[in-house]
C-alpha cells in the first residue's frame, strides 16, 4: 500500500472479487504506529505513516467503491459495506502518538464524509476503533514507547486479536457506524459521536443520559495523564512548571 498509487490501484482492482463486483465487506486495515516524542519524529517518519495509514486506506477504498456502487445499481439493494480500521488513538490524542493519532483521526473524517456520500448508493461505512491489541505490532511498539506513553498505556485494557476481530465482524454485520471495545470504547464513542447517527435508539438514549458522567470521567483521565507527563518532564528536563501549568521556567543546573 506504500507503492505508487497507480500500482496499488491496479493490484487491488485486479483481485477476483473486485473485478467481479462481489464485494460484500471491504475491511481496510493498514497501519503502523512508531511512538516517539514529537521532536524525534522526522519528516520522513510523518510521510511514511501518513502514506500507509491514510493514503493506503484511501487507495484501497477507491479500488472497491466503484464496484460496490455498480452492484447496488444493478441489484437495487445493498452495495455492501466499507470498514475502516482506525484506533482509540483516533478519538483521543496520547503522548508519543502525534503522527499516529493524526493519521487515525484523519480516518474519522474520511469515514464520516464517505458515509454521507455513499449512503444514497446503499453502501454503508463502519469505523472500527480498537484499543491496545495483543499483536506483534504492539510488541514492537512497546520496545520504543516513550516512558510517558508506556505509563498511560498501563492503565488501559489489553484485548486479544481474536476478540478484536470478533467484535469487528459483529459490528460490521450489524451495520454499526462506530465499532468500539469494552466500557472505555463505549464511553469514547459516546463522547466523540459528533453528528453521526447512533447505532440504535437504546444506545443513543443511554449516551444522552450518560454523557455528563462520561465527560467527568474523561476529565479525570486527562488530569491523570497530564500528571504522568508532568512528572516525567520534571525527571528528564528539570522543568519547574511541569506540575500542571502552561507557564514555567527551567531550573538552573546544579
Amino acid at each position: 500500500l506504500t507503492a505508487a498509487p497507480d500500482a496499488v490501484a491496479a493490484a487491488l482492482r485486479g483481485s477476483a472479487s473486485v473485478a467481479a463486483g462481489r464485494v460484500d465487506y471491504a475491511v481496510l486495515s493498514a497501519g503502523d504506529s512508531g511512538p516517539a516524542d514529537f521532536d524525534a519524529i522526522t519528516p520522513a517518519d510523518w510521510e511514511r505513516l501518513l502514506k500507509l495509514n491514510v493514503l493506503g486506506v484511501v487507495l484501497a477504498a477507491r479500488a472497491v467503491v466503484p464496484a460496490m456502487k455498480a452492484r447496488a445499481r444493478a441489484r437495487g439493494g445493498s452495495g455492501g459495506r466499507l470498514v475502516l480500521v482506525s484506533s482509540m488513538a483516533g478519538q483521543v490524542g496520547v503522548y508519543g502518538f502525534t503522527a499516529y493519532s493524526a493519521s487515525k483521526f484523519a480516518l474519522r473524517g474520511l469515514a464520516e464524509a464517505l458515509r454521507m456520500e455513499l449512503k444514497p448508493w446503499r453502501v454503508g461505512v463502519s469505523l472500527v476503533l480498537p484499543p491496545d491489541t495483543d499483536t506483534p505490532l504492539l510488541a514492537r511498539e512497546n520496545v520504543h514507547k516513550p516512558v510517558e506513553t508506556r505509563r498511560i498505556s498501563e492503565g488501559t485494557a489489553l484485548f486479544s486479536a481474536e476478540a478484536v476481530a470478533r467484535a469487528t465482524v459483529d459490528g460490521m454485520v450489524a451495520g454499526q457506524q462506530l465499532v468500539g471495545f469494552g466500557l472505555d470504547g463505549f464511553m469514547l464513542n459516546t463522547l466523540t459521536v459528533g453528528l453521526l447517527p447512533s447505532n440504535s435508539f437504546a444506545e443513543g438514549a443511554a449516551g444522552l443520559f450518560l454523557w455528563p458522567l462520561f465527560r467527568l470521567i474523561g476529565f479525570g483521565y486527562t488530569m491523570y495523564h497530564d500528571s504522568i507527563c508532568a512528572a516525567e518532564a520534571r525527571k528528564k528536563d528539570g522543568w519547574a512548571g511541569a506540575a500542571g501549568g502552561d507557564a514555567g521556567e527551567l531550573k538552573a543546573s546544579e
Side-chain angles (χ1 to χ4, degrees):
L1 291 177
T2 56
D6 289 345
V8 174
L12 291 171
R13 288 183 181 135
S15 69
S17 56
V18 175
R22 294 195 304 266
V23 180
D24 294 308
Y25 297 96
V27 181
L28 312 183
S29 177
D32 198 358
S33 54
D37 290 348
F38 173 71
D39 51 7
I41 303 175
T42 67
D45 294 330
W46 275 92
E47 184 176 9
R48 180 182 64 84
L49 279 176
L50 293 174
K51 190 173 184 180
L52 175 60
N53 295 3
V54 182
L55 189 57
V57 171
V58 170
L59 293 176
R62 282 176 53 84
V64 298
V65 162
M68 298 173 91
K69 292 168 71 173
R71 176 184 178 184
R73 187 188 301 113
R75 294 175 51 183
S78 172
R81 193 165 198 88
L82 282 177
V83 183
L84 278 60
V85 180
S86 178
S87 167
M88 278 188 176
Q91 294 176 290
V92 57
V94 177
Y95 188 108
F97 284 131
T98 48
Y100 181 67
S101 282
S103 70
K104 292 301 185 177
F105 267 88
L107 295 186
R108 170 62 183 262
L110 175 64
E112 286 200 28
L114 275 175
R115 186 203 71 83
M116 187 178 292
E117 186 172 328
L118 297 179
K119 187 175 181 180
W121 297 92
R122 297 177 297 279
V123 176
V125 178
S126 291
L127 184 68
V128 183
L129 301 148
D132 276 350
T133 306
D134 189 10
T135 64
L137 175 63
L138 181 64
R140 177 164 57 84
E141 176 184 295
N142 285 336
V143 174
H144 305 287
K145 275 182 180 175
V147 63
E148 296 89 346
T149 315
R150 186 177 299 110
R151 289 184 59 189
I152 291 170
S153 298
E154 288 171 354
T156 62
L158 179 65
F159 282 67
S160 69
E162 292 76 14
V164 170
R166 190 180 311 112
T168 297
V169 172
D170 290 345
M172 71 185 194
V173 171
Q176 293 180 1
Q177 312 282 333
L178 298 177
V179 181
F181 301 81
L183 181 58
D184 282 348
F186 176 62
M187 181 178 74
L188 281 175
N189 285 358
T190 300
L191 290 174
T192 64
V193 66
L195 299 182
L196 283 175
S198 297
N199 292 325
S200 67
F201 176 80
E203 181 181 283
L208 182 64
F209 287 104
L210 289 171
W211 196 94
L213 173 62
F214 287 167
R215 185 68 184 91
L216 184 62
I217 293 172
F219 182 60
Y221 272 129
T222 298
M223 290 183 62
Y224 175 58
H225 296 161
D226 284 349
S227 72
I228 290 174
C229 297
E232 294 301 328
R234 288 195 298 271
K235 293 178 186 177
K236 291 189 293 187
D237 300 321
W239 180 248
D246 292 329
E249 56 186 28
L250 287 173
K251 293 180 180 178
S253 299
E254 296 182 356

